[in-house]
Amino acid sequence: MATGPAARPPLGDIGDIAGGAGGAGGNGAERFTESRVERIVALVVALGCAVLGTQAFVNALSTPQAAGLWRVGLLIVAFLPLAAMILALATGAFARGASRLCALSLVVVLAFWPLATAGAATDPSVQPWVWYLLNVATAAAVMAFEVVLQIVWAVLVPALYAAVRLTQIDAMPAGANAAQTVGTVLDAVFALILAGVIIALGWMLRGTAVGIDRARRDAVASYAAAAEADAVETERVAVAALMHDSVLAALIAAERASTPREEALAVSMAREALTRLANAEQDVGEGSDEAVPVVSIVTGIERAAADLGLDLRVRAALDPDGGPVPGRVARAIVLAATQAVANAVQHAGARGLVVSVRADPATISVQVSDAGAGFAPASVPVDRLGIRGSIVARMAAAGGRARVQTGAEGTTIRLDWDRPR
């Protein structure tokens, strides 16, 4: 046999194949590669044992080396468990138990071989049929036991065979057994080496399969952790933006209101805040990904400006070949632009307020400019989230970017989102 199972917990029944026989817990998805390697190994071992078993059975029938009931008994003890193991490995049912029974039965056959052949007319120069089953016993042990017992079987079976054969050879006339002794020792050493190869090949196969499954589990766990962190960050940005856009902005506007227009603006912002808070659960994630026309960004900004008490007309340059945009992205752009407009109203009195939208097949850009006094970005307190949370972070969460240019001549906020290529 050229291959065999490994030093991991041995193959078991169908349930064991999915979850791992005698090993640590785990489901079939977690041990995907391992379970399939186990199945392939089982089929290869079954095929190899069937070939060697057939050869041994034909030899046992053609050259009887035990007499009477001993012969019948040894054939039953050797070949019935072997046939059961081959069937179990081929079908994947009761594989571990059948392999354990076969491994034990072949050791029993070897142990009783001297008694069975005592007084029988046997030719020590002819290989007995049990010789063909030496590595079958080792393979059965590998399929049935832990690695320690696998090694014990790999050493025990050839050693027991050598002891039995040497006992028979010693009964030959003096001087006629030297060549037979050397041949028997070589047979035993060959069986031992082949048993080691079987264990080593199987160990490498199973070790590789376990490594692949472990790498898959680690990759899935890393992806889940990254997805969880991304979801937490997205929710944090959404909550921070909601609080600033609606609640804090309305409170600040109400506190600073000193004219009828500013009071009306504060009332509108408070009404918007209450509406968004009432629909907070539905507003998570800035909407769905269902595609919407680019013109919805223009109308959305104009509608939001009207809610702030402004009669704003957005300058639009929309390429008809640009195509639609995901709804979540459009919503994020509208909300970020609305915040920029609200900042222009609060801090610049809407002086020189201009909003333009440009869309082509590659990019969607929104620019909000005012003619206010500007501000120093480095001096903005860290707890002020207007630009950081409601504009920059929101665009980043949608896969876009925001840039702020400010100075004594005014402030310009540009929002860009590149279409996927």
Side-chain angles (χ1 to χ4, degrees), residues 266-284:
V267 170
S268 297
M269 295 177 68
R271 184 182 300 111
E272 173 69 12
L274 292 174
T275 301
R276 292 195 64 186
L277 286 173
N279 299 302
E281 292 184 358
Q282 289 77 16
D283 197 43
V284 173

PDB file of all heavy atoms in Angstrom, residues 266-284:
ATOM      1  N   ALA A 266     -34.398  78.237  13.332  1.00  0.00           N
ATOM      2  CA  ALA A 266     -34.265  77.360  14.499  1.00  0.00           C
ATOM      3  C   ALA A 266     -35.470  76.430  14.631  1.00  0.00           C
ATOM      4  O   ALA A 266     -35.335  75.249  14.970  1.00  0.00           O
ATOM      5  CB  ALA A 266     -34.089  78.191  15.765  1.00  0.00           C
ATOM      6  N   VAL A 267     -36.682  76.998  14.352  1.00  0.00           N
ATOM      7  CA  VAL A 267     -37.891  76.164  14.420  1.00  0.00           C
ATOM      8  C   VAL A 267     -37.836  75.059  13.378  1.00  0.00           C
ATOM      9  O   VAL A 267     -38.160  73.890  13.648  1.00  0.00           O
ATOM     10  CB  VAL A 267     -39.149  77.039  14.237  1.00  0.00           C
ATOM     11  CG1 VAL A 267     -40.391  76.156  14.066  1.00  0.00           C
ATOM     12  CG2 VAL A 267     -39.329  77.963  15.422  1.00  0.00           C
ATOM     13  N   SER A 268     -37.407  75.397  12.154  1.00  0.00           N
ATOM     14  CA  SER A 268     -37.323  74.392  11.099  1.00  0.00           C
ATOM     15  C   SER A 268     -36.314  73.308  11.452  1.00  0.00           C
ATOM     16  O   SER A 268     -36.551  72.109  11.252  1.00  0.00           O
ATOM     17  CB  SER A 268     -36.924  75.056   9.780  1.00  0.00           C
ATOM     18  OG  SER A 268     -37.904  75.991   9.368  1.00  0.00           O
ATOM     19  N   MET A 269     -35.183  73.724  12.015  1.00  0.00           N
ATOM     20  CA  MET A 269     -34.162  72.752  12.397  1.00  0.00           C
ATOM     21  C   MET A 269     -34.637  71.864  13.536  1.00  0.00           C
ATOM     22  O   MET A 269     -34.358  70.661  13.562  1.00  0.00           O
ATOM     23  CB  MET A 269     -32.867  73.472  12.792  1.00  0.00           C
ATOM     24  CG  MET A 269     -32.213  74.214  11.625  1.00  0.00           C
ATOM     25  SD  MET A 269     -30.742  75.147  12.099  1.00  0.00           S
ATOM     26  CE  MET A 269     -29.649  73.798  12.503  1.00  0.00           C
ATOM     27  N   ALA A 270     -35.393  72.425  14.478  1.00  0.00           N
ATOM     28  CA  ALA A 270     -35.929  71.619  15.572  1.00  0.00           C
ATOM     29  C   ALA A 270     -36.943  70.603  15.053  1.00  0.00           C
ATOM     30  O   ALA A 270     -36.975  69.444  15.493  1.00  0.00           O
ATOM     31  CB  ALA A 270     -36.569  72.520  16.619  1.00  0.00           C
ATOM     32  N   ARG A 271     -37.779  71.035  14.098  1.00  0.00           N
ATOM     33  CA  ARG A 271     -38.760  70.113  13.526  1.00  0.00           C
ATOM     34  C   ARG A 271     -38.043  68.965  12.798  1.00  0.00           C
ATOM     35  O   ARG A 271     -38.411  67.795  12.923  1.00  0.00           O
ATOM     36  CB  ARG A 271     -39.666  70.864  12.558  1.00  0.00           C
ATOM     37  CG  ARG A 271     -40.797  70.007  11.982  1.00  0.00           C
ATOM     38  CD  ARG A 271     -41.645  70.792  10.998  1.00  0.00           C
ATOM     39  NE  ARG A 271     -42.261  71.950  11.630  1.00  0.00           N
ATOM     40  CZ  ARG A 271     -41.933  73.219  11.363  1.00  0.00           C
ATOM     41  NH1 ARG A 271     -40.989  73.477  10.469  1.00  0.00           N
ATOM     42  NH2 ARG A 271     -42.531  74.221  11.968  1.00  0.00           N
ATOM     43  N   GLU A 272     -36.981  69.302  12.042  1.00  0.00           N
ATOM     44  CA  GLU A 272     -36.207  68.280  11.346  1.00  0.00           C
ATOM     45  C   GLU A 272     -35.540  67.331  12.337  1.00  0.00           C
ATOM     46  O   GLU A 272     -35.480  66.110  12.118  1.00  0.00           O
ATOM     47  CB  GLU A 272     -35.142  68.958  10.473  1.00  0.00           C
ATOM     48  CG  GLU A 272     -34.141  68.001   9.816  1.00  0.00           C
ATOM     49  CD  GLU A 272     -34.748  67.134   8.739  1.00  0.00           C
ATOM     50  OE1 GLU A 272     -35.904  67.406   8.318  1.00  0.00           O
ATOM     51  OE2 GLU A 272     -34.073  66.167   8.314  1.00  0.00           O
ATOM     52  N   ALA A 273     -35.044  67.879  13.454  1.00  0.00           N
ATOM     53  CA  ALA A 273     -34.402  67.043  14.467  1.00  0.00           C
ATOM     54  C   ALA A 273     -35.382  66.042  15.059  1.00  0.00           C
ATOM     55  O   ALA A 273     -35.069  64.857  15.226  1.00  0.00           O
ATOM     56  CB  ALA A 273     -33.806  67.911  15.572  1.00  0.00           C
ATOM     57  N   LEU A 274     -36.578  66.510  15.389  1.00  0.00           N
ATOM     58  CA  LEU A 274     -37.578  65.602  15.954  1.00  0.00           C
ATOM     59  C   LEU A 274     -37.963  64.512  14.958  1.00  0.00           C
ATOM     60  O   LEU A 274     -38.156  63.341  15.319  1.00  0.00           O
ATOM     61  CB  LEU A 274     -38.818  66.404  16.376  1.00  0.00           C
ATOM     62  CG  LEU A 274     -38.627  67.363  17.568  1.00  0.00           C
ATOM     63  CD1 LEU A 274     -39.872  68.199  17.787  1.00  0.00           C
ATOM     64  CD2 LEU A 274     -38.286  66.564  18.822  1.00  0.00           C
ATOM     65  N   THR A 275     -38.078  64.873  13.680  1.00  0.00           N
ATOM     66  CA  THR A 275     -38.433  63.883  12.659  1.00  0.00           C
ATOM     67  C   THR A 275     -37.346  62.828  12.507  1.00  0.00           C
ATOM     68  O   THR A 275     -37.620  61.625  12.458  1.00  0.00           O
ATOM     69  CB  THR A 275     -38.678  64.588  11.314  1.00  0.00           C
ATOM     70  OG1 THR A 275     -39.735  65.541  11.466  1.00  0.00           O
ATOM     71  CG2 THR A 275     -39.056  63.572  10.244  1.00  0.00           C
ATOM     72  N   ARG A 276     -36.089  63.258  12.474  1.00  0.00           N
ATOM     73  CA  ARG A 276     -35.005  62.312  12.301  1.00  0.00           C
ATOM     74  C   ARG A 276     -34.828  61.422  13.527  1.00  0.00           C
ATOM     75  O   ARG A 276     -34.513  60.237  13.414  1.00  0.00           O
ATOM     76  CB  ARG A 276     -33.699  63.051  12.002  1.00  0.00           C
ATOM     77  CG  ARG A 276     -33.703  63.721  10.644  1.00  0.00           C
ATOM     78  CD  ARG A 276     -32.315  64.120  10.234  1.00  0.00           C
ATOM     79  NE  ARG A 276     -31.471  62.940  10.072  1.00  0.00           N
ATOM     80  CZ  ARG A 276     -30.170  62.996   9.825  1.00  0.00           C
ATOM     81  NH1 ARG A 276     -29.569  64.170   9.729  1.00  0.00           N
ATOM     82  NH2 ARG A 276     -29.465  61.891   9.690  1.00  0.00           N
ATOM     83  N   LEU A 277     -35.037  61.990  14.714  1.00  0.00           N
ATOM     84  CA  LEU A 277     -34.944  61.160  15.918  1.00  0.00           C
ATOM     85  C   LEU A 277     -36.043  60.111  15.942  1.00  0.00           C
ATOM     86  O   LEU A 277     -35.832  58.968  16.371  1.00  0.00           O
ATOM     87  CB  LEU A 277     -35.022  62.044  17.169  1.00  0.00           C
ATOM     88  CG  LEU A 277     -33.777  62.872  17.486  1.00  0.00           C
ATOM     89  CD1 LEU A 277     -34.037  63.816  18.647  1.00  0.00           C
ATOM     90  CD2 LEU A 277     -32.607  61.949  17.815  1.00  0.00           C
ATOM     91  N   ALA A 278     -37.243  60.490  15.479  1.00  0.00           N
ATOM     92  CA  ALA A 278     -38.354  59.536  15.464  1.00  0.00           C
ATOM     93  C   ALA A 278     -38.111  58.406  14.469  1.00  0.00           C
ATOM     94  O   ALA A 278     -38.587  57.286  14.657  1.00  0.00           O
ATOM     95  CB  ALA A 278     -39.661  60.253  15.131  1.00  0.00           C
ATOM     96  N   ASN A 279     -37.342  58.700  13.416  1.00  0.00           N
ATOM     97  CA  ASN A 279     -37.083  57.695  12.381  1.00  0.00           C
ATOM     98  C   ASN A 279     -35.628  57.238  12.391  1.00  0.00           C
ATOM     99  O   ASN A 279     -35.075  56.853  11.356  1.00  0.00           O
ATOM    100  CB  ASN A 279     -37.418  58.262  10.994  1.00  0.00           C
ATOM    101  CG  ASN A 279     -38.875  58.660  10.873  1.00  0.00           C
ATOM    102  OD1 ASN A 279     -39.765  57.844  11.059  1.00  0.00           O
ATOM    103  ND2 ASN A 279     -39.107  59.921  10.563  1.00  0.00           N
ATOM    104  N   ALA A 280     -35.013  57.284  13.566  1.00  0.00           N
ATOM    105  CA  ALA A 280     -33.580  56.966  13.653  1.00  0.00           C
ATOM    106  C   ALA A 280     -33.293  55.551  13.184  1.00  0.00           C
ATOM    107  O   ALA A 280     -32.303  55.297  12.496  1.00  0.00           O
ATOM    108  CB  ALA A 280     -33.088  57.168  15.080  1.00  0.00           C
ATOM    109  N   GLU A 281     -34.151  54.585  13.557  1.00  0.00           N
ATOM    110  CA  GLU A 281     -33.882  53.192  13.186  1.00  0.00           C
ATOM    111  C   GLU A 281     -33.959  52.997  11.681  1.00  0.00           C
ATOM    112  O   GLU A 281     -33.176  52.264  11.093  1.00  0.00           O
ATOM    113  CB  GLU A 281     -34.878  52.256  13.877  1.00  0.00           C
ATOM    114  CG  GLU A 281     -34.692  52.191  15.388  1.00  0.00           C
ATOM    115  CD  GLU A 281     -35.637  51.184  16.013  1.00  0.00           C
ATOM    116  OE1 GLU A 281     -36.426  50.593  15.260  1.00  0.00           O
ATOM    117  OE2 GLU A 281     -35.579  50.998  17.233  1.00  0.00           O
ATOM    118  N   GLN A 282     -34.903  53.692  11.043  1.00  0.00           N
ATOM    119  CA  GLN A 282     -35.023  53.535   9.596  1.00  0.00           C
ATOM    120  C   GLN A 282     -33.933  54.302   8.857  1.00  0.00           C
ATOM    121  O   GLN A 282     -33.617  54.009   7.715  1.00  0.00           O
ATOM    122  CB  GLN A 282     -36.394  54.048   9.111  1.00  0.00           C
ATOM    123  CG  GLN A 282     -37.555  53.163   9.505  1.00  0.00           C
ATOM    124  CD  GLN A 282     -37.950  53.326  10.971  1.00  0.00           C
ATOM    125  OE1 GLN A 282     -37.560  54.289  11.591  1.00  0.00           O
ATOM    126  NE2 GLN A 282     -38.711  52.374  11.495  1.00  0.00           N
ATOM    127  N   ASP A 283     -33.284  55.266   9.530  1.00  0.00           N
ATOM    128  CA  ASP A 283     -32.307  56.114   8.867  1.00  0.00           C
ATOM    129  C   ASP A 283     -30.892  55.572   8.968  1.00  0.00           C
ATOM    130  O   ASP A 283     -29.969  56.134   8.405  1.00  0.00           O
ATOM    131  CB  ASP A 283     -32.354  57.517   9.477  1.00  0.00           C
ATOM    132  CG  ASP A 283     -31.675  58.553   8.602  1.00  0.00           C
ATOM    133  OD1 ASP A 283     -31.887  58.504   7.387  1.00  0.00           O
ATOM    134  OD2 ASP A 283     -30.925  59.387   9.145  1.00  0.00           O
ATOM    135  N   VAL A 284     -30.705  54.448   9.703  1.00  0.00           N
ATOM    136  CA  VAL A 284     -29.365  53.896   9.889  1.00  0.00           C
ATOM    137  C   VAL A 284     -28.788  53.467   8.542  1.00  0.00           C
ATOM    138  O   VAL A 284     -29.441  52.816   7.745  1.00  0.00           O
ATOM    139  CB  VAL A 284     -29.398  52.702  10.864  1.00  0.00           C
ATOM    140  CG1 VAL A 284     -28.028  52.032  10.905  1.00  0.00           C
ATOM    141  CG2 VAL A 284     -29.804  53.173  12.246  1.00  0.00           C
TER     142      VAL A 284
END
